[in-house]
Amino acid sequence: MPRSQRRARYGRFTGGPDPLAPPLDLAEVLDAVSEGVMAGYSPESALAEHLRRGGHGRDGLDELAGRVQQRRRDLLTRHRLDGTLQEITALLEKAVLAERGQLARDTAMAPVDRTLREMTLENLPRSTSAAVSELAQYDWASSEARETYRQIQDRLGGELLGQRFSGMKQALEGATDADREAITEMLRDLGDLLEKHAAGEDGPEDFADFMRKHGKAFPEDPEDIEELIDVLARRSAAAQRMLRSMTPQQREELLALSARAFGSPELMAQLMRMDGALQALRPGEDWSGAESFDGEQGLGLGEGAGVMQELAELDTLAEQLGQSYAGSALSDLDVDALARHLGPDAAVSARLLRELEQAMRDSGYLRRGADGELRMSPRATRKLGAALLRDAAGRLSARTGARETRRAGAAGEQTGATRPWQFGDAEPWDVGRSLTNAITRTAATGGDPAEGVRLEVGDVEVRETEARNRAAVVLLVDTSFSMAMEGRWVPMKRTALALHHLVSTRFRGDVLQLVSFGRHAVPLEIGELLALEAVHEQGTNLHHGLMLAGEFFRRHRGRQPVLLVVTDGEPTAQLLPDGESWFSYPPEPETIAATVAELDRLGRAGASTTFFRLGDDPGLSRFLTAMARRVGGAVVAPDPEDLGAAVVDEFLRARRGPTLDDVL
């Protein structure tokens, strides 16, 4: 065809992953997994939950599963299974009517003969199958009636074969006696092949010979006998389930009619032989299931078997989408089947979910521990910490409305090196490097630096300094069960991670200790805190937490001590000399006294202390205000969503205070 006559066609790309699609953005998935982990779920469960819910503009597994179930309901409420019986009944009535008309018109027929024929027609059984059987030996006077009765036999044969062989019903329309004999021969050869295979006596040449002789009957073009058995077993099992889904009367009628298919019981006998062999070879197929149809559209046997097969495929898809079986993975999902039943959009969504799952496993954000469980990797923790710190910076900016001014040189002597500015930096700007970056960026993007340069955040570089004041920071976080019950568990973990990232990246000379306090206080690494699950345990042992903070500060003498305490309840537990935790609610005076005494020790050591009160408990408010007043500290009462910004802000304020040596 000349180039000028060629026409281009445009449509959705369906050849697998789109080669022009942008790289997968895992930020949303990582955020969702992180939220789940901080809420107490395993990374595996959190990832599975995100894939079930879906994301922004993307269907999840639950949505696809719902559409599968809706498709299933549509099939059951639209159809009924007596289509073939209705067709046979209509053909029978047509044949009898044509015969009666011929008897009325044929004046040459002997009266006795006419009377006998009319009596036969008048006394036909009400059962369609019985009437068809009664007329098997009837000598039809009408050629039209004879042909219609022959159609009944052919229709039964076509429907029975159409149930088990794709396209066979259409291929048999207008079939000759030779065609019918060829079908019967194919069934005999197929039965022989299946029985030979079941006995282990066949070879590849037997399958090849069979396909050379009868290959046109199998449009699926199976490559070997196992594939042939798979195809036939699925359709044969669907035919059995359809039969079981009928009413007892419908089933009895159909079985009786089947004996008249093609005018001989041999077809049904060969099909039963084939069904028996297939059931023995593929016992894992559903041979005994049934469905309840209550629609208005009648289905023929072939159509009904197709619907039953579709229902089975939908059930398999529902199981795959549910991901509830052992070892389940989205790689199990049959995307082609999903496209057939729900359309290409569903296949695109499923393929994207599958790619997201694999990308998360390959990204390095999740890694499997020694116990085989998936955990967030340090890389994922750093990435999430950076995101949380940016969020805290944004909240602080919105709250203060301006960049806070810092004393130049407060962080120490300059080293001569520079680096890009990041949130939390207290070092002075390197103006020359910052302007050079802005000029280079402007020129690279097609601008003319001579017309003016606009300085952006990414251009700014700061002068690195040797830290003069280094801090020892303790973040005490309340892990009593009320924190989880009141929706404060995840904000608490997000806060800890944001502070951890700030200290580890911008204040590398500082040391940070995370301590959880519930019935007991426990020093934790950031990964341990993120994976910590809420436990239904009574007790808010701030006393023990303050003791651990004091031990940490003493191990790091010479550093500026910073104490940050996040809690939503008064202390209800204290650590006894024998190491046991004593719980009492309401708080006992002894517990309050022990907690206050421990805080006073930290105050005398110069610790800069801030309490973060969650909730509106008046008793807690009075207690924390009194505690802060004793040590010259502060109380902040943020909303849970602003907790991270509040803690970071107070850390930066405290970080610029006096050192422990100055106090002493």
Side-chain angles (χ1 to χ4, degrees):
M1 179 182 294
R3 185 183 300 271
S4 60
Q5 296 182 12
R6 295 178 182 173
R7 294 183 177 180
R9 294 190 303 170
Y10 299 90
R12 182 187 295 274
F13 180 78
T14 58
D18 187 349
L20 301 180
L24 291 173
D25 183 6
L26 298 180
E28 183 183 9
V29 185
L30 180 59
D31 287 346
V33 171
S34 304
E35 286 288 312
V37 169
M38 288 188 286
Y41 297 98
S42 68
E44 189 94 42
S45 299
L47 175 59
E49 181 64 22
H50 175 73
L51 294 174
R52 280 195 294 270
R53 291 197 312 265
H56 181 68
R58 180 179 68 249
D59 288 341
L61 295 176
D62 285 351
E63 171 65 24
L64 294 175
R67 292 171 61 184
V68 166
Q69 292 300 327
Q70 183 59 51
R71 172 63 180 165
R72 198 181 196 286
R73 286 192 294 270
D74 289 345
L75 290 173
L76 294 175
T77 57
R78 183 186 310 153
H79 300 297
R80 64 174 187 265
L81 299 180
D82 59 351
T84 296
L85 293 176
Q86 288 183 329
E87 289 184 26
I88 298 302
T89 299
L91 286 173
L92 180 62
E93 291 174 352
K94 180 180 177 181
V96 171
L97 184 61
E99 180 70 6
R100 283 174 173 164
Q102 178 64 29
L103 294 178
R105 291 189 300 271
D106 191 352
T107 57
M109 182 179 294
V112 175
D113 190 14
R114 179 183 294 107
T115 300
L116 289 175
R117 292 173 183 270
E118 290 175 345
M119 289 177 61
T120 299
L121 298 179
E122 286 293 334
N123 293 308
L124 284 175
R126 297 184 61 181
S127 165
T128 299
S129 60
V132 170
S133 179
E134 181 101 358
L135 294 171
Q137 305 302 321
Y138 181 78
D139 183 15
W140 298 91
S142 166
S143 58
E144 178 187 355
R146 184 183 304 108
E147 179 58 29
T148 302
Y149 184 79
R150 181 62 176 268
Q151 290 178 18
I152 291 176
Q153 297 174 324
D154 289 350
R155 183 65 56 84
L156 286 168
E159 291 285 354
L160 289 170
L161 291 168
Q163 277 188 307
R164 294 162 174 83
F165 300 94
S166 177
M168 185 69 76
K169 177 182 176 181
Q170 292 75 15
L172 285 174
E173 292 179 358
T176 64
D177 289 340
D179 295 329
R180 300 183 187 94
E181 179 56 36
I183 290 296
T184 303
E185 182 182 4
M186 183 273 290
L187 291 174
R188 293 194 201 101
D189 292 346
L190 178 59
D192 293 341
L193 177 64
L194 294 176
E195 290 177 356
K196 194 173 183 180
H197 181 73
E201 299 172 353
D202 65 321
E205 65 280 359
D206 295 298
F207 172 75
D209 290 344
F210 176 82
M211 292 301 294
R212 274 195 297 271
K213 187 176 181 181
H214 304 294
K216 292 182 179 180
F218 302 93
E220 300 88 355
D221 193 23
E223 295 184 358
D224 54 36
I225 190 169
E226 296 297 340
E227 189 173 329
L228 173 65
I229 292 172
D230 287 339
V231 171
L232 292 175
R234 283 194 294 268
R235 294 188 66 89
S236 179
Q240 293 297 321
R241 293 196 301 275
M242 179 182 177
L243 191 64
R244 291 177 176 273
S245 300
M246 293 179 173
T247 66
Q249 182 180 359
Q250 290 172 341
R251 188 161 51 246
E252 183 180 351
E253 285 281 288
L254 184 61
L255 290 174
L257 284 170
S258 299
R260 309 310 309 171
F262 289 160
S264 167
E266 183 175 3
L267 174 65
M268 191 60 192
Q270 291 295 340
L271 289 176
M272 291 177 65
R273 177 192 180 197
M274 181 189 76
D275 288 345
L278 291 172
Q279 189 166 355
L281 290 167
R282 292 293 185 270
E285 292 287 341
D286 184 4
W287 296 90
S288 59
E291 301 289 350
S292 178
F293 291 83
D294 56 2
E296 296 297 326
Q297 182 178 335
L299 292 173
L301 296 183
E303 296 167 332
V307 168
M308 298 300 294
Q309 197 167 357
E310 182 175 358
L311 289 170
E313 288 188 3
L314 290 172
D315 288 343
T316 300
L317 283 174
E319 184 179 14
Q320 293 170 355
L321 291 167
Q323 294 284 289
S324 57
Y325 51 93
S328 59
L330 285 185
S331 57
D332 303 337
L333 189 57
D334 189 341
V335 177
D336 293 335
L338 203 61
R340 285 197 304 272
H341 299 300
L342 299 185
D345 288 342
V348 170
S349 296
R351 190 175 289 112
L352 179 57
L353 291 173
R354 190 166 63 183
E355 292 169 4
L356 283 173
E357 180 190 49
Q358 190 60 45
M360 277 296 292
R361 296 182 186 278
D362 297 341
S363 65
Y365 291 143
L366 302 176
R367 69 179 184 183
R368 202 167 293 279
D371 57 359
E373 294 293 327
L374 279 181
R375 290 185 173 85
M376 289 181 62
S377 67
R379 179 187 177 193
T381 302
R382 288 192 299 270
K383 185 175 180 65
L384 179 60
L388 294 174
L389 192 57
R390 286 194 299 271
D391 179 70
R395 292 177 181 273
L396 281 176
S397 176
R399 189 170 64 186
T400 61
R403 174 181 175 270
E404 186 175 350
T405 303
R406 299 187 176 93
R407 291 175 295 155
E413 298 300 325
Q414 297 179 10
T415 65
T418 65
R419 56 176 172 76
W421 176 89
Q422 295 189 29
F423 176 75
D425 283 338
E427 293 81 1
W429 289 12
D430 187 308
V431 177
R433 290 288 302 173
S434 300
L435 288 176
T436 299
N437 292 339
I439 293 170
T440 303
R441 176 183 51 75
T442 301
T445 55
D448 185 359
E451 297 178 359
V453 175
R454 183 179 181 86
L455 194 66
E456 295 185 358
V457 172
D459 302 324
V460 178
E461 292 199 21
V462 296
R463 298 171 184 172
E464 288 195 328
T465 59
E466 294 181 355
R468 177 181 300 161
N469 298 336
R470 296 185 176 184
V473 186
V474 175
L475 176 64
L476 293 178
V477 290
D478 187 345
T479 54
S480 60
F481 195 66
S482 60
M483 290 283 287
M485 291 292 291
E486 298 297 332
R488 299 160 185 157
W489 193 259
V490 172
M492 173 270 291
K493 291 186 177 182
R494 293 170 67 91
T495 298
L497 183 52
L499 180 63
H500 176 272
H501 186 77
L502 176 61
V503 172
S504 61
T505 58
R506 300 273 58 82
F507 293 88
R508 295 186 180 92
D510 292 354
V511 288
L512 171 66
Q513 178 65 67
L514 304 174
V515 178
S516 69
F517 61 96
R519 189 65 172 263
H520 290 85
V522 182
L524 296 174
E525 297 295 330
I526 186 63
E528 295 174 318
L529 179 60
L530 295 182
L532 189 66
E533 298 183 15
V535 178
H536 195 283
E537 179 181 71
Q538 292 179 315
T540 303
N541 200 337
L542 179 58
H543 169 246
H544 191 189
L546 294 174
M547 291 178 65
L548 293 180
E551 292 175 5
F552 182 77
F553 291 147
R554 287 191 290 275
R555 288 199 304 270
H556 297 282
R557 286 185 176 274
R559 294 175 182 267
Q560 172 191 350
V562 178
L563 176 65
L564 306 169
V565 182
V566 177
T567 185
D568 71 346
E570 297 179 73
T572 57
Q574 69 180 97
L575 191 68
L576 299 177
D578 61 1
E580 292 297 320
S581 175
W582 179 46
F583 166 78
S584 177
Y585 183 83
E588 291 285 345
E590 292 85 349
T591 300
I592 298 296
T595 304
V596 170
E598 200 61 43
L599 179 67
D600 288 345
R601 292 189 185 93
L602 297 178
R604 289 192 296 271
S608 174
T609 303
T610 306
F611 293 96
F612 300 88
R613 174 174 58 83
L614 299 178
D616 300 321
D617 181 6
L620 175 63
S621 178
R622 290 190 297 270
F623 172 76
L624 293 182
T625 299
M627 291 277 281
R629 187 179 298 119
R630 294 181 69 89
V631 294
V635 178
V636 180
D639 292 330
E641 293 77 12
D642 291 326
L643 178 61
V647 169
V648 167
D649 188 32
E650 291 300 317
F651 165 74
L652 293 175
R653 292 179 187 276
R655 184 63 182 78
R656 295 188 295 276
T659 66
L660 181 60
D661 292 334
D662 293 333
V663 174
L664 297 176

